[in-house]
């Protein structure tokens, strides 16, 4: 259930925001970047919005590309699965503001505790339209690929980004499930190694998205392999600085 939180105010994906934050903490989240429409990345979005709405706060801004936004609207805020909060209480003063972003066009989100954040969406190769995010704040920069199978552009961006503090990327299935990973456009340790061969060796890599039934197997498999980069598994609930 993927979610990252920057300065307590900007969420990157919303798989688990309402499950781990208190109501008061959820009300501080004013901006949400959505990488793609899969449930493990948007599941808590309806409740996060409702929890803010109930308190009459200003609109929550949800940033996604046109193709991701189309899926989020069609499958979630469709008035069947959940109300269209971009028209509640009314379209002039809604509780949600969808902000359409363009791939590869940097934009700024202001008003965060540690200063403005510059975000650039980079398309990756997943089974539904998906983007990763290059995120800068002050001198810190991190690149989150989101879910992806073998791809190229996002690694190019990693290589061209000076002072990249970390590359957060996925590993979903063990190599004995390579066929499932290939069909669903995810990575195994073996295909991850192939992808990281395209990335500068000095960039630190943080891994997320281990599918829960295979966590132990993935840790053992990755631990027994050699990578050019320093690899670390992201820890739930931990705060990182880049
Ligand atoms: Zn996905
Ligand atoms: Zn996912």
């Amino acid at each position: 259930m993927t979610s990252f939180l920057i300065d307590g105010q900007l969420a990157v994906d919303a798989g688990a925001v309402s499950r781990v934050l208190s109501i008061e903490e959820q009300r501080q989240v004013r901006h949400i970047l959505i990488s793609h429409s899969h449930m493990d990345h948007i599941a808590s979005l309806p409740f996060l919005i409702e929890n803010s709405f109930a308190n009459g706060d200003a609109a929550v801004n949800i940033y996604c590309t046109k193709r991701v936004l189309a899926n989020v609207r069609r499958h979630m805020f469709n008035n069947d699965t959940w109300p269209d909060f971009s028209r509640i209480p009314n379209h002039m003063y809604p509780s949600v503001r969808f902000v359409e972003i363009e791939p590869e066009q940097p934009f700024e989100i202001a008003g965060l505790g540690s200063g403005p954040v510059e975000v650039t969406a980079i398309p990756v190769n997943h089974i539904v339209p998906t983007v990763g995010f290059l995120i800068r704040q002050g001198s810190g920069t991190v690149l989150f690929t989101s879910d992806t199978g073998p791809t190229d552009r996002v690694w190019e961006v990693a290589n061209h980004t000076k002072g990249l503090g970390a590359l957060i990327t996925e590993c979903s299935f063990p190599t004995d499930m390579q066929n499932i990973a290939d069909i669903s456009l995810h990575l195994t340790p073996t295909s991850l190694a192939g992808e990281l061969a395209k990335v500068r060796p000095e960039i630190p890599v943080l891994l997320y998205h281990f599918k829960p039934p295979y966590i132990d197997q993935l840790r053992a498999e990755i631990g027994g392999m050699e990578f050019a980069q320093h690899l670390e598994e992201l820890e739930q609930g931990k705060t990182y600085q880049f």
Side-chain angles (χ1 to χ4, degrees), residues 78-180:
N78 54 14
N79 289 321
D80 286 328
T81 311
W82 204 248
D84 177 4
F85 271 92
S86 66
R87 296 184 179 279
I88 296 174
N90 60 66
H91 72 282
M92 294 293 284
Y93 301 100
S95 8
V96 167
R97 206 166 62 94
F98 288 111
V99 183
E100 206 177 294
I101 58 173
E102 291 286 333
E104 309 255 355
Q105 299 285 315
F107 64 97
E108 192 176 277
I109 299 173
L112 303 192
S114 315
V117 169
E118 187 197 82
V119 180
T120 312
I122 314 291
V124 293
N125 184 28
H126 194 32
I127 200 158
V128 293
T130 303
V131 293
F133 296 109
L134 178 67
I135 299 169
R136 291 179 200 276
Q137 188 184 41
S139 57
T141 308
V142 62
L143 178 55
F144 165 59
T145 68
S146 192
D147 297 4
T148 187
T151 188
D152 286 309
R153 178 61 189 150
V154 80
W155 310 133
E156 276 172 29
V157 171
N159 289 334
H160 292 155
T161 302
K162 278 194 194 127
L164 185 59
L167 175 60
I168 299 175
T169 194
E170 74 134 282
C171 192
S172 296
F173 296 103
T175 298
D176 63 14
M177 298 179 72
Q178 188 69 54
N179 58 334
I180 302 290

Side-chain angles (χ1 to χ4, degrees), residues 2 36 38 40-41 126 146-147 170 172 186 208-209 211:
T2 304
H36 67 300
H38 277 159
D40 54 325
H41 298 252
H126 194 32
S146 192
D147 297 4
E170 74 134 282
S172 296
H186 282 297
Y208 85 108
H209 215 268
K211 292 282 183 186

Side-chain angles (χ1 to χ4, degrees), residues 173-176 188-190 216-225 227:
F173 296 103
T175 298
D176 63 14
T188 66
T190 300
D216 293 339
Q217 199 182 341
L218 280 164
R219 282 178 183 153
E221 190 181 343
I222 290 165
M225 291 171 64
F227 292 88

